[in-house]
Amino acid sequence: MTNALTAFIKSANLPAFDEEAMAAAIDASQEEEGYARSGGITFIDFSGKMNQYRVGKDRDPIDPEALFLLEPISATKGWICWKGGKVVGREEWPYLNKAAAISAERLDDHGPYREGDGWKPVRGFGCIALDGSAGNYKFSSNAAGARNSIERVLTEVSAQVKRGQPSVPVIKFSSESFTANDHTNWKPTFPIVAWVTREAAQAFFAGGSLDDLLAGKQPKQLK
């Protein structure tokens, strides 16, 4: 079986990395902002009004029990510009590639804007299905609740790295309700089922057992 983890990293055009650099990049980005579409990737989005994930061009629902390997180095941040209900601009870069960051002052002006239009901050991450398909997916959103949920996972990743513990999370796609202006809405959440190492993930995608992966069993040798 193709090594899906390596294939995902290559398809996403991610920079060379080490885990300490990843943790430092997450920390620096979160400190700055107040937090303590190609290559065979299928996109996932979330409707807060409908409490519904939608997968791919067919807008299929997602299995709430499905497991995904969230690749921390695929985490992205950036900007998305809405106008009249349509995306008219998007700028995005990996956390690890701070040199590619674009400040608000450098964004193109697509105005005039109506209320609610304009550039919004966006966050995203890539993940790999653990159902045997090794499908590559990306979730991104400019909604505040979604961005906070993503940052929460990345904060935990950074903490795992600093503790010297496995730092690649296995997640589910879930949600929780909240009330704003007397209206109930929903935000996506990404509960962590297990923490694994990259070596264990690579062993799984090479034909290993999901039970071994979730149990934290480390491969003796990778081929």
Side-chain angles (χ1 to χ4, degrees), residues 8-219:
F8 177 82
I9 293 172
K10 290 181 178 178
S11 70
N13 296 318
L14 298 171
F17 76 100
D18 61 52
E19 289 192 335
E20 293 295 338
M22 176 182 67
I26 290 172
D27 290 349
S29 173
Q30 293 178 338
E31 182 177 355
E32 287 173 1
E33 302 205 2
Y35 289 99
R37 337 240 269 180
S38 57
I41 297 174
T42 300
F43 289 87
I44 301 172
D45 67 21
F46 180 78
S47 168
K49 292 182 179 179
M50 299 175 63
N51 186 26
Q52 184 180 67
Y53 286 98
R54 299 167 295 199
V55 183
K57 63 181 181 179
D58 294 328
R59 319 295 276 173
D60 294 325
I62 201 166
D63 180 354
E65 296 303 313
L67 299 179
F68 296 82
L69 188 81
L70 189 159
E71 175 45 78
I73 66 170
S74 72
T76 58
K77 60 190 304 185
W79 303 94
I80 188 169
C81 187
W82 292 90
K83 184 175 182 179
K86 296 181 179 180
V87 175
V88 295
R90 190 180 189 104
E91 299 289 348
E92 202 168 10
W93 58 90
Y95 270 70
L96 288 180
N97 192 6
K98 191 173 181 179
I102 297 178
S103 65
E105 294 76 16
R106 293 170 55 199
L107 296 171
D108 292 337
D109 184 3
H110 295 283
Y113 301 119
R114 295 183 299 183
E115 183 178 358
D117 285 348
W119 288 97
K120 315 289 184 183
V122 66
R123 296 290 181 275
F125 62 81
C127 58
I128 306 169
L130 298 181
D131 60 0
S133 68
N136 294 333
Y137 296 85
K138 179 174 180 178
F139 175 85
S140 64
S141 177
N142 65 270
R147 299 198 318 266
N148 289 338
S149 293
I150 293 172
E151 294 288 351
R152 191 172 298 117
V153 173
L154 295 179
T155 295
E156 295 187 51
V157 168
S158 180
Q160 287 288 107
V161 172
K162 293 171 184 176
R163 289 191 290 262
Q165 298 296 313
S167 57
V168 180
V170 174
I171 66 164
K172 294 180 179 181
F173 283 85
S174 188
S175 63
E176 63 183 41
S177 63
F178 66 95
T179 301
N181 299 322
D182 295 324
H183 293 285
T184 299
N185 210 326
W186 298 80
K187 66 179 180 180
T189 60
F190 314 104
I192 297 171
V193 176
W195 292 99
V196 304
T197 64
R198 283 191 169 76
E199 292 76 15
Q202 289 171 348
F204 168 77
F205 289 119
S209 160
L210 179 60
D211 289 339
D212 286 348
L213 177 67
L214 297 180
K217 184 176 180 180
Q218 295 302 302

